[in-house]
Amino acid sequence: AQKVTQAQTEISVVEKEDVTLDCVYETRDTTYYLFWYKQPPSGELVFLIRRNSFDEQNEISGRYSWNFQKSTSSFNFTITASQVVDSAVYFCALSGNYGQNFVFGPGTRLSVLP
Amino acid sequence: ETGVTQSPTHLIKTRGQQVTLRCSSQSGHNTVSWYQQALGQGPQFIFQYYREEENGRGNFPPRFSGLQFPNYSSELNVNALELDDSALYLCASSWGLAGGPSYEQYFGPGTRLTVT
């Protein structure tokens, strides 16, 4: 069975600090996909990134970066120089190769204080 | 390009009633997935429809059923509502090939269902 763990329930940082959100996953599939989604207070889930299991290169997109380590089954997300608008719940998710059975983690609530 | 839309926005039902939620997928997408998100939790996968056929189902009882129409819009039906069915119901659309890799999903704003 697939499982996603986000051990940090809530994190508070002061604006401009860097913050890392942890994600650990479990799967028996050899091909799988990992995702991060943002859910602001409005409630709509916003896609941030997709990574397949064969691509372990780290990715950077503006202030966001992702560190995928297959050896530790982790897919961590770092926000550099955080801003108040980054305040949201962030979900890590896992999917098999066929697209169904997306499994979401419980989410990490990030509060960025001015 | 039109995003994913859902209706209604909010709904209040009584235990034992039936409810139908609707979702219009993003233009060009052929796959729709439904999720239940209880307060303070992550979304739980209900099922997915690809080109009008169910293409995967999560751990939900048969009273949760769905349909996908030729224009790829979709309905989620829940019979015999229970208090625990109170949640935010999210619809997500994507483009994918059956048996192919999973593409990113684009979510609608959700329908907030309250069962009293």
Side-chain angles (χ1 to χ4, degrees):
Chain A
Q2 304 195 129
K3 184 179 178 181
V4 175
T5 302
Q6 294 178 256
Q8 305 147 309
T9 306
E10 293 192 36
I11 300 176
S12 286
V13 298
V14 177
E15 203 170 19
K16 296 184 183 175
E17 286 185 359
D18 298 347
V19 58
T20 295
L21 310 181
D22 298 333
C23 172
V24 174
Y25 62 93
E26 295 176 29
T27 181
R28 293 179 185 170
D29 293 342
T30 53
T31 301
Y32 52 89
Y33 291 79
L34 294 161
F35 302 77
W36 275 95
Y37 284 86
K38 174 182 179 180
Q39 189 172 42
S42 61
E44 193 162 336
L45 279 162
V46 177
F47 167 81
L48 296 178
I49 190 172
R50 175 181 69 132
R51 172 69 71 217
N52 75 54
S53 51
F54 298 109
D55 182 2
E56 289 192 68
Q57 279 193 334
N58 292 331
E59 180 155 340
I60 298 175
S61 176
R63 297 184 296 108
Y64 296 169
S65 62
W66 291 270
N67 183 356
F68 177 26
Q69 292 199 343
K70 230 171 166 178
S71 60
T72 56
S73 297
S74 65
F75 186 44
N76 296 336
F77 172 33
T78 297
I79 302 175
T80 303
S82 60
Q83 300 176 1
V84 173
V85 294
D86 295 328
S87 296
V89 181
Y90 290 86
F91 292 98
C92 181
L94 167 68
S95 170
N97 187 38
Y98 300 102
Q100 64 269 57
N101 277 330
F102 265 71
V103 175
F104 281 81
T108 297
R109 180 177 298 279
L110 173 65
S111 297
V112 181
L113 308 174
Chain B
E1 184 178 270
T2 308
V4 179
T5 59
Q6 292 185 243
S7 62
T9 307
H10 294 87
L11 202 51
I12 299 175
K13 289 285 190 177
T14 303
R15 191 171 52 182
Q17 286 188 318
Q18 178 265 343
V19 69
T20 297
L21 310 182
R22 294 179 174 82
C23 170
S24 291
S25 59
Q26 184 163 311
S27 177
H29 287 181
N30 58 8
T31 303
V32 172
S33 302
W34 285 92
Y35 296 84
Q36 180 194 67
Q37 187 178 19
L39 203 60
Q41 296 182 23
Q44 301 292 313
F45 174 73
I46 303 175
F47 43 57
Q48 182 184 82
Y49 279 84
Y50 168 73
R51 299 182 73 173
E52 302 179 60
E53 301 223 349
E54 190 176 287
N55 186 43
R57 188 179 183 93
N59 190 25
F60 280 80
R63 60 189 185 84
F64 285 79
S65 63
L67 280 174
Q68 188 180 31
F69 300 100
N71 66 355
Y72 302 128
S73 65
S74 177
E75 284 183 356
L76 164 65
N77 298 291
V78 187
N79 294 323
L81 284 167
E82 300 176 0
L83 296 179
D84 285 349
D85 295 334
S86 295
L88 179 68
Y89 288 84
L90 295 164
C91 164
S93 76
S94 58
W95 185 86
L97 302 171
S102 49
Y103 294 79
E104 54 263 35
Q105 299 182 99
Y106 293 86
F107 284 79
T111 293
R112 173 75 61 189
L113 173 65
T114 302
V115 182
T116 61

